[in-house]
Amino acid sequence: MLVLLPPSEGKASSGRGAPLKPESLSLPGLTGARAAVLDELVDLCAADEDKAREVLGLSEGLRGEIAKNVDLRTAGARPAGEIYTGVLYDALDLASLDTAAKRRAARSLLVFSGLWGAVRVTDRIPSYRCSMGVRLPGLGALGTHWRTPMAAVLPEIAGDGLVLDLRSAAYAAAWKPKGEVAGRTATVRVLHAPTRKVVSHFNKATKGRIVRSLLTSAGAPRTPAELVEALRDLGYVVEAEAPSQAGRARALDVLVDEIH
């Protein structure tokens, strides 16, 4: 199973670890595209703080994030699973998983990123600020920048099992499963049961809890249909319709009343 996750907007501090080693990151086929984003992002933030703040869409109160980007090559690096924070990652709580579940997380979780393209939770990265929705002056829209290298790398990473796509729309723009891979992909929408509306907190927290449940359970769904049954066995209320045609991802609705 491959689980595609969005990053978090806010991130933990880089810490005092050794600096980034780009060649050590997973998915080496993305190395060139990563270097291009890293070079332009560092140069932009070092040259013109006001322009960088505008390009990155940062408020005045987040001006300090620009200095963080200037130091990306020398700042301490930590596992990506420790860098990403926020509602989804709090609910997932990687640090508290047992050893077997942590091994499954290392194999199956892939976090998409405007800067790195995609990383494993064990990849060591510094804290940064650069969302997939950013349009850099030289490279242009990052969602578009990543499409070609992602299309070359991700189908192989997806293997022959289930792909559980929990990304937000901005990050989904960087790679869309196609053909046979799409046919074994499932997307999840979390709805507040009484209103049947998407609520951000419910959505993010429930997705984190779903991933945690799958990592800690003995089940290993290999198809969207098996995923539906696994989630129901884990106590989730799931509604699912068959894809309208072959080669389309299967959309699942998970209904929740409240988050505990």
Side-chain angles (χ1 to χ4, degrees), residues 24 38 109 181 184:
S24 72
L38 179 64
L109 304 188
V181 178
R184 48 187 167 83

Side-chain angles (χ1 to χ4, degrees), residues 233-254:
D233 289 345
L234 289 166
Y236 293 94
V237 178
V238 183
E239 295 180 351
E241 294 184 2
S244 57
Q245 63 186 70
R248 291 284 184 91
R250 189 168 186 183
L252 312 182
D253 285 342
V254 175

